[in-house]
Amino acid sequence: MHEQRDRDPGVGEREYRRAALPVDITDGAAEAEAVAFVCATCGVSLTGPLTRLPEVPEAPYYAWWDADEPGPSPATVPSGCYAIETEPYGGPLVVAQEPGPVMPRHGGHFNVEGKPLVSQGPRGNIVINPDDARGLELQHASSACCGATPDGGMNQLCACGTLVATLCSDCCLPYELHLSADHVRAVRP
């Protein structure tokens, strides 16, 4: 409540949230120091301590079509780590001029008319191993055979009811969780 009253009216919401972060996760020096992520709305812990990687790793190869049971691929980010996604990720998806990957670590995606799509979702998401998340609940999922896709945008709710992340867990997609930089804060554990 005091935040709102004491806030500089000339500062935009995104800039205000970034300025309010107790830990600057965009600073390269912070890479070696572990941070935890909490909901920016209620402050509940969403992860344990995580160490920053210099970039999001490539998704490991996984022959999902040969799997005995459907389920998520191996995680893109190792447990205990996080990385910052520099490209747009998640919904909305918009028609592109040329075919290409719809978003990082995903193949091409086309609308019902056969036109290529690309993500215009947010940049700066914090990518973690989904198994490192705490207390999140699936809100909705875009259609998939056995898991959630990022096509519809954020799909993970904090206990307070705030959408805070996008889970990608379908068998034929990279297994990763994207915490929204606008909806979480980094804190020192």
Side-chain angles (χ1 to χ4, degrees):
M1 300 287 176
H2 299 287
E3 268 183 12
Q4 198 69 357
R5 184 181 48 199
D6 298 338
R7 209 168 123 181
D8 177 358
V11 176
E13 183 65 26
R14 186 176 194 144
E15 290 77 16
Y16 175 73
R17 286 181 191 243
R18 290 201 190 283
L21 287 176
V23 177
D24 183 3
I25 62 170
T26 61
D27 179 11
E31 287 179 22
E33 296 180 41
V35 297
F37 294 94
V38 300
C39 176
T41 301
C42 71
V44 73
S45 179
L46 301 175
T47 73
L50 303 174
T51 303
R52 185 171 177 183
L53 299 172
E55 62 185 20
V56 180
E58 284 299 313
Y61 174 77
Y62 178 64
W64 57 270
W65 55 88
D66 285 337
D68 291 335
E69 292 189 30
S73 302
T76 302
V77 176
S79 185
C81 298
Y82 75 95
I84 305 298
E85 181 61 71
T86 58
E87 297 298 317
Y89 191 87
L93 303 182
V94 298
V95 174
Q97 298 299 318
E98 297 179 21
V102 67
M103 60 191 88
R105 296 165 305 285
H106 290 255
H109 203 70
F110 298 86
N111 67 10
V112 293
E113 294 143 3
K115 295 181 180 176
L117 298 173
V118 294
S119 171
Q120 278 203 339
R123 294 176 186 255
N125 289 332
I126 299 120
V127 186
I128 69 170
N129 183 319
D131 298 336
D132 287 339
R134 298 178 178 168
L136 295 178
E137 181 182 326
L138 186 62
Q139 164 70 19
H140 68 80
S142 298
S143 57
C145 68
C146 60
T149 73
D151 298 357
M154 289 198 295
N155 57 21
Q156 295 288 290
L157 281 173
C158 172
C160 72
T162 302
L163 281 168
V164 294
T166 305
L167 175 64
C168 182
S169 64
D170 191 51
C171 63
C172 64
L173 297 173
Y175 185 48
E176 47 195 51
L177 182 69
H178 288 242
L179 298 171
S180 167
D182 290 339
H183 297 92
V184 302
R185 305 185 281 122
V187 295
R188 296 210 190 285

